[in-house]
């Protein structure tokens, strides 16, 4: 990387990647999640991050989510060392660098402007690729054959920006293209989807949230054989034990109320 700083020219939904980049770069706390590559990238972005007013709670949630999804991918790779991983709405995340086992093939997908920015920080190889496309333009799936490999698809902080129809079409197309694949993503409740526009960082970017779901089992009704393997609440994270007292208390209290637990959680489906 050069000392040159990259100017940011992104749409509101794309700009939200700076919230997660900053959160991952800051770690929260270090022992929970540390990401050197995010720190490096942050130093090379020409942007006033203070204007995002990222609450500590958001940084925490982003790191807990990233750690949990890393764990899911590492479990998948333990069982399928030569597996194929598709990472949708990747932003500037460096999960491939964090979990690569030397054998997997990995595709990071995001919109053209994001991939153009990303190419300043990541290089393609014969096992690591970047795709510039909206995830909703389902033609991108035709370009990645599974060739008999086990497939895991992940979407971190993406699905809430899609409409329900887009979410459903994506899931059905993934199922069609990669029967039996694993799909891990985080989802808001409908209440969160309606109320999150008051979040200071989202408000600053102007991004619009569309999708939330209350009963995650509903997804099983979208297609034969779709199975919700796990609905994982942030309050289940072991990380809570190492948080400062105030945050530990908030997470523990949240754990008592279903509506609060479901406000934002990770869903793990087999398609
Ligand atoms: C909150 S950021 C999350 C970035 C990354 N997953 C992370 O956790 O660091 C949301 C990302 O979704 C991407 N995104 C939003 N709508 C998209 C779409 N229709 N197709 C592809 N990417 C999309 C944005 O460009 C952005 O990179």
């Amino acid at each position: 990387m050069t000392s040159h700083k990259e100017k940011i020219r992104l749409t509101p939904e794309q700009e939200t990647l700076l919230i997660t980049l900053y959160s991952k770069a800051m770690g929260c706390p270090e022992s929970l999640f540390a990401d050197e590559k995010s720190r490096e990238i942050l130093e090379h972005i020409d942007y006033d991050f203070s204007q995002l007013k990222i609450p500590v709670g958001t940084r925490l949630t982003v790191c807990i989510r990233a750690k949990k999804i890393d764990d899911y991918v590492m479990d998948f790779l333990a069982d399928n060392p030569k597996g194929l991983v598709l990472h949708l709405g990747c932003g500037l995340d460096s999960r491939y660098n964090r979990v690569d086992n030397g054998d997997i093939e990995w595709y990071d997908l995001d919109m053209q402007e994001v991939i153009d920015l990303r190419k300043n920080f990541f290089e393609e190889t014969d096992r690591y690729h970047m795709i510039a496309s909206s995830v909703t333009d389902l033609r991108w799936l035709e370009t990645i054959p599974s060739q008999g490999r086990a497939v895991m698809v992940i979407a971190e902080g993406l699905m809430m920006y899609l409409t329900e129809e887009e979410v459903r079409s994506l899931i059905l197309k993934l199922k069609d293209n990669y029967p039996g694949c694993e799909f891990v993503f985080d989802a808001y409740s409908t209440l969160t989807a309606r109320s999150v526009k008051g979040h200071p960082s989202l408000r600053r970017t102007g991004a619009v949230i569309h999708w939330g779901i209350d009963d995650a089992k509903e997804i099983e009704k979208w297609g034969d054989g779709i199975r919700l393997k796990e609905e994982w609440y942030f309050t289940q994270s072991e990380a809570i034990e190492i948080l400062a007292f105030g945050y530990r208390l908030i997470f523990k209290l949240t754990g008592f109320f279903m509506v609060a637990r479901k406000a934002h959680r990770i869903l793990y489906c087999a398609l």
Side-chain angles (χ1 to χ4, degrees), residues 31-64:
S31 52
L32 161 60
F33 182 85
D35 187 6
E36 192 50 46
K37 180 78 179 174
S38 295
R39 269 180 229 148
E40 239 178 75
I41 297 174
L42 199 68
E43 280 171 23
H44 291 84
I45 299 268
D46 187 5
Y47 186 84
D48 173 12
F49 284 86
S50 68
Q51 64 183 315
L52 290 174
K53 299 189 173 57
I54 303 174
V56 177
T58 299
R59 274 166 47 188
L60 261 175
T61 311
V62 167
C63 290
I64 290 175

Side-chain angles (χ1 to χ4, degrees), residues 68-227:
K68 182 64 185 171
I69 297 180
D70 282 2
D71 289 347
Y72 277 135
V73 178
M74 286 190 287
D75 285 349
F76 169 79
L77 294 180
D79 292 340
N80 308 283
K82 290 184 185 291
L84 173 64
V85 180
L86 313 178
H87 186 192
L88 313 181
C90 58
L92 290 174
D93 177 77
S94 43
R95 177 161 292 109
Y96 172 73
N97 306 48
R98 296 197 296 274
V99 305
D100 180 31
N101 64 358
D103 274 325
I104 40 168
E105 189 169 15
W106 188 285
Y107 286 83
D108 269 338
L109 175 141
D110 209 302
M111 312 249 232
Q112 183 71 59
E113 297 84 341
V114 175
I115 295 297
D116 289 346
L117 176 64
R118 193 175 169 90
K119 285 192 169 161
N120 293 296
F121 306 110
F122 297 89
E123 262 179 42
E124 292 192 285
T125 68
D126 52 346
R127 291 190 301 106
Y128 173 71
H129 318 275
M130 291 181 251
I131 301 184
S133 168
S134 170
V135 73
T136 59
D137 176 353
L138 300 171
R139 284 173 300 180
W140 65 266
L141 278 111
E142 311 294 343
T143 63
I144 314 174
S146 74
Q147 291 167 326
R149 290 168 293 179
V151 179
M152 172 168 257
V153 185
I154 47 187
E156 178 185 21
L158 168 70
M159 304 302 266
M160 49 287 282
Y161 298 103
L162 310 185
T163 63
E164 175 149 330
E165 204 35 55
E166 289 168 338
V167 171
R168 185 192 293 251
S169 303
L170 173 64
I171 286 183
L172 292 180
K173 183 74 179 171
L174 286 172
K175 177 175 165 48
D176 196 39
N177 233 46
Y178 310 112
C181 74
E182 322 262 303
F183 186 27
V184 173
F185 58 99
D186 57 311
Y188 287 156
S189 65
T190 53
L191 178 64
T192 308
R194 281 197 305 276
S195 56
V196 75
K197 54 177 178 285
H199 186 284
S201 318
L202 270 187
R203 210 168 43 218
R204 168 65 193 79
T205 62
V208 178
I209 299 295
H210 295 285
W211 186 61
I213 185 165
D214 296 327
D215 179 3
K217 280 256 174 202
E218 285 290 314
I219 295 172
E220 294 187 339
K221 298 184 189 147
W222 293 357
D224 273 352
I226 296 180
R227 194 161 55 87

